[in-house]
Amino acid sequence: NGESSLSITVVGASGDLAKKKIFPALFALFYEGCLPKHFTIFGYARSKMTDEELRKMISGTLTCRIDQRENCEDKIDNFLKKCFYHAGQYNSEADFKQLDAKLKTHEGGRVANRLFYLSIPPNIFIDVARCASSSASSEQGWTRVIVEKPFGRDSASSAELTKGLKQFLAEEQIYRIDHYLGKELVENLSVLRFSNLVFEPLWSRQYIRNVQFLFSEDFGTEGRGGYFDGYGIIRDIMQNHLLQMLAIFAMEPPVSLDAEDIRNEKVKVLRSMRTLNLEDVVIGQYKSHVRGGVRYPGYTDDKTVPPNSITPTFAAAALFIDNARWDGVPFLMKAGKALNNRRTEIRVQFRHVPGNLYKRSFGTDLDQATNELVIRVQPDEAIYLKINNKIPGLGMRLDRSNLNLLYADRYSREIPDAYERLLLDAIEGERRLFIRSDELDAAWAIFTPLLQELETRRVSPELYPYGSRGPVGAHYLAAKYNVRWGDLN
Ligand code: BG6
């Protein structure tokens, strides 16, 4: 309805995520004309700040990245005029009542929809949910709340959080973000599978040898150690970002594109997965390293990390899906900070061609000559397929070449940030890319026994130098399942 209004409150407005991602994404949506005519944005946090100070704080992060030419400065000014600030405690209904009064003035008597983005630590999610729902929820329109991980540390604490939130909000009002689901190539994963005849028929144990989900960053925790140390890489990246990609990769075709149909399939495949145990995992932690005269700090050199921390900054794991489609196929994951590059990709290694007529024509190892499909989520988004091809000439020699879809060559449009897509979906009530509570339970069930074992046994991580390829243990883990990591070839 063109005449309703939208109020977005960013709770925890002075935090890093709000500054770096949420305000810029909201501006991008405004810039693209995706926000309704009547909208207001409020920052909410404990510290005192004026509206002007909030505007100043966020203005530096707003960019007209899509189209540099057109009235960028004007658009920024117009956007900032819609941004306000309210200081309040996170557990005070009275403070949220005051926010409510301010929101009402801006809403001007229109039907108002209200979106709260909880950009705050999870220990105050429930307080804010209580105050927002009792004192600042919409009277005639909808009220939705976006929350972001960590959703607990294990099955029990996650269930407790879910229960706490559900005292004040219906499941339909809770939008659990995993920002990887908002990435262009992750969204495209289903398109690739279900709208091309050539892939889906091969998508099973019959043709696929293994699948790899690889995440690497070329920087360490750098000051974020306070949060990270309590969680570690398995909870920070694997249990959510990589597992979400795996679920979409491996799920059965959904009945429709409806959010419930898709999430039903994701839950099913997650529930078919084996729980992880120690033998399936290698953990590592980066140590300082001097390269080119520069000393790169180790994880425990980070001032925000306890000096004797054994929190993993790297992990490799082998997961299995015990269903008819994937029985016996290793799904390998590898995630690490302070490695030699920043990249996220999915690699699908296919089986050998049975009775390959050309096996003698490969100069190298036949094992290297199987097809591999690579979906590079970031950077330089791409999908490419390694095929065997005859080297032109009179002889019969084959090599491996790429059928290449490089997004930068193929599409001139810029790829939107994950948060733009997800915020727009939340505003539109599209829940496909958000995590349902049963999905979250299933995800924790796979990792919780392992996480507990690592902690009770105080398993020491294998140290690896900052900027390296990670611990060699990962190599042995893959070898155990007859797998070669695709990113090391
Ligand atoms: C976050 C993690 O969820 O994802 C961070 O907490 C990580 O540790 C980040 O750096 C990576 O996101 P992206 O979009 O930069 O790949």
Side-chain angles (χ1 to χ4, degrees), residues 17 115-122 124-126 128-129 144-151 161-162 165 169 173-179 419 422 426 434-435 440:
L17 180 74
L115 179 66
F116 291 86
Y117 199 119
L118 272 46
S119 181
I120 46 175
I124 47 178
F125 280 176
I126 297 173
V128 174
R144 295 178 188 146
V145 176
I146 300 181
V147 287
E148 181 130 13
K149 72 145 211 280
F151 306 120
L161 189 59
T162 303
L165 287 175
L169 299 165
Q173 293 180 282
I174 306 173
Y175 284 68
R176 293 179 198 83
I177 276 204
D178 182 312
H179 79 283
Y419 283 91
L422 294 170
F434 294 88
I435 318 288
L440 187 60

Side-chain angles (χ1 to χ4, degrees), residues 147-149 151 175-183 236-245 418-419 422 433-435:
V147 287
E148 181 130 13
K149 72 145 211 280
F151 306 120
Y175 284 68
R176 293 179 198 83
I177 276 204
D178 182 312
H179 79 283
Y180 266 62
L181 292 179
K183 292 194 187 264
D236 191 45
I237 304 290
M238 276 191 175
Q239 181 269 354
N240 34 64
H241 304 330
L242 299 191
L243 190 66
Q244 283 297 322
M245 295 199 288
Y419 283 91
L422 294 170
L433 301 180
F434 294 88
I435 318 288

Side-chain angles (χ1 to χ4, degrees), residues 225 228-230 285 299-300 305-313 458 461 463:
F228 188 86
D229 199 67
Q285 187 187 80
Y299 176 64
T300 53
V305 169
N308 56 352
S309 170
I310 55 164
T311 298
T313 59
R458 290 195 54 80
L463 298 178

Side-chain angles (χ1 to χ4, degrees), residues 32 78 95 118 166 230 237 254 261 306 368 393 408 413 421 450:
E32 290 275 282
N78 291 342
D95 290 348
L118 272 46
K166 283 191 180 170
I237 304 290
D261 287 336
Q368 296 256 34
R413 269 195 67 96
R421 187 185 319 269
L450 165 78

